[in-house]
Amino acid sequence: MSQLYTLLDRWWVDFRKGNPSADAVYQLLSAIEGTVAHDHIALRTFDHHTVDIDTVMAPLVAAGYVCQAEYVFPKTHVYSRHYEHDDVTLPKVFISQLEGSHFSQAFQGHLGRLLNQIPEGVPGQWDFFATAPPWEISFAVYEILKQESEYAAWVSAFGFQPTHFAVQTNLLVRYGDLTTLNSLLKGHGFILNTVGGEIQGSPKVFLEQSSLKAAETKVEFSDGTYLIPGTFYELAKRYLMPDGTLFKGFVTESAVTLFQNTDASALSVDSRNTL
Ligand code: NI
């Protein structure tokens, strides 16, 4: 268990270091609210057998995380699951994997060459989630991957570190309403992601989310250093379902929730914030 807490701490420290604007939002909210907790942490991987969700989640599952639901994102060829821990103070883990077979031979070749550089035995260990990518990559290959999948390009540049942390806004006393919270942040000069609207989802699907614009991050590629969009901070607001319990799942472009009795057909939202 201590390794789990070490990993969660390291992710959080590295996330704040790599995204100073997220750190500033966290500091602002902490100053106003006292404490700020996180609803979830989002991870990405690929469906290749060496790094698929089952393989890389093994240490977290051994430390008590349990899969609660799975989701599909057919447009972007992504499959995902969310995991929860008995210790409810720990954030949910939302992890997705890109289905590589849907992409071109050239794309799969580049992806294969990256995955081949991961030291054997590391996936499935705590070290797998280190902040630095476990491979060398050129900006040229990053750009090639990006033409077919922004998701793959992001992982090629940033590795398996979390894409985002999401604030649990339900626990905020003064700024628990997302519209009010967004106004506060904009008033302080923070820039929200407005693609598809500032707030994604609705009380009808029991989840609303907003996110800060991804941090422009310097990445050292093998052929030079470039500024590209990196991690982002998210704000998640959950609503009570008709049975009186708080919705714990996620909303996808066409949701499949195998372990929950949510009406999947009612759910439709851009996948921008979720992955
Ligand atoms: Ni999220």
Side-chain angles (χ1 to χ4, degrees), residues 40 42 94 164-166 209 232 234 250 273-275:
H40 64 273
F94 181 90
H164 64 272
F165 277 69
Q209 297 190 102
F232 61 93
E234 190 171 84
F250 292 83
N273 281 337
T274 310
L275 299 174

Side-chain angles (χ1 to χ4, degrees), residues 159-238:
F160 300 98
Q161 63 180 299
T163 60
H164 64 272
F165 277 69
V167 173
Q168 198 174 3
T169 65
N170 291 65
L171 297 182
L172 301 181
V173 176
R174 290 183 58 192
Y175 288 93
D177 172 71
L178 216 48
T179 305
T180 315
L181 177 56
N182 286 345
S183 297
L184 171 80
L185 298 180
K186 285 186 286 183
H188 279 80
F190 296 108
I191 302 170
L192 294 169
N193 186 340
T194 56
V195 178
E198 266 179 21
I199 296 179
Q200 302 253 304
S202 70
K204 268 189 192 160
V205 296
F206 314 115
L207 178 65
E208 287 179 327
Q209 297 190 102
S210 287
S211 62
L212 280 293
K213 202 167 168 283
E216 289 296 320
T217 307
K218 255 188 205 171
V219 174
E220 283 179 31
F221 292 92
S222 59
D223 52 354
T225 300
Y226 292 84
L227 208 54
I228 59 169
T231 62
F232 61 93
Y233 211 20
E234 190 171 84
L235 315 161
K237 167 92 177 182
R238 296 184 176 279

Side-chain angles (χ1 to χ4, degrees), residues 53 69-71 73 78-82 94-97 275:
I53 291 177
E70 51 185 353
Y71 313 88
F73 297 81
V78 169
Y79 162 88
S80 69
R81 292 184 194 159
H82 99 253
F94 181 90
I95 181 166
S96 55
Q97 65 185 19
L275 299 174

Side-chain angles (χ1 to χ4, degrees), residues 23-235:
D23 185 40
V25 168
Y26 175 75
Q27 308 254 18
L28 174 69
L29 292 180
S30 299
I32 295 171
E33 299 278 351
T35 51
V36 173
H38 290 118
D39 177 84
H40 64 273
I41 296 172
L43 303 170
R44 289 179 177 180
T45 188
F46 300 102
D47 69 349
H48 190 269
H49 69 276
T50 55
V51 292
D52 61 16
I53 291 177
D54 279 330
T55 303
V56 304
M57 279 299 289
L60 282 90
V61 167
Y65 269 98
V66 177
C67 178
Q68 299 292 340
E70 51 185 353
Y71 313 88
V72 290
F73 297 81
K75 281 188 214 155
T76 44
H77 306 300
V78 169
Y79 162 88
S80 69
R81 292 184 194 159
H82 99 253
Y83 290 72
E84 293 174 30
H85 200 279
D86 273 349
D87 178 350
V88 293
T89 65
L90 296 182
K92 298 174 195 62
V93 171
F94 181 90
I95 181 166
S96 55
Q97 65 185 19
L98 190 75
E99 292 162 340
S101 64
H102 291 279
F103 298 89
S104 71
Q105 286 302 314
F107 178 100
Q108 292 185 45
H110 286 301
L111 193 56
R113 280 186 285 281
L114 295 181
L115 296 176
N116 280 340
Q117 294 176 53
I118 302 175
E120 211 174 308
V122 170
Q125 305 294 323
W126 294 101
D127 290 348
F128 174 73
F129 298 106
T131 301
W135 48 59
E136 278 238 307
I137 179 172
S138 65
F139 185 67
V141 168
Y142 167 82
E143 291 273 82
I144 291 170
L145 293 174
K146 200 175 171 191
Q147 283 170 15
E148 291 189 47
S149 167
E150 293 220 358
Y151 181 111
W154 193 96
V155 182
S156 77
F158 294 100
F160 300 98
Q161 63 180 299
T163 60
H164 64 272
F165 277 69
V167 173
Q168 198 174 3
T169 65
N170 291 65
L171 297 182
L172 301 181
V173 176
R174 290 183 58 192
Y175 288 93
D177 172 71
L178 216 48
T179 305
T180 315
L181 177 56
N182 286 345
S183 297
L184 171 80
L185 298 180
K186 285 186 286 183
H188 279 80
F190 296 108
I191 302 170
L192 294 169
N193 186 340
T194 56
V195 178
E198 266 179 21
I199 296 179
Q200 302 253 304
S202 70
K204 268 189 192 160
V205 296
F206 314 115
L207 178 65
E208 287 179 327
Q209 297 190 102
S210 287
S211 62
L212 280 293
K213 202 167 168 283
E216 289 296 320
T217 307
K218 255 188 205 171
V219 174
E220 283 179 31
F221 292 92
S222 59
D223 52 354
T225 300
Y226 292 84
L227 208 54
I228 59 169
T231 62
F232 61 93
Y233 211 20
E234 190 171 84
L235 315 161

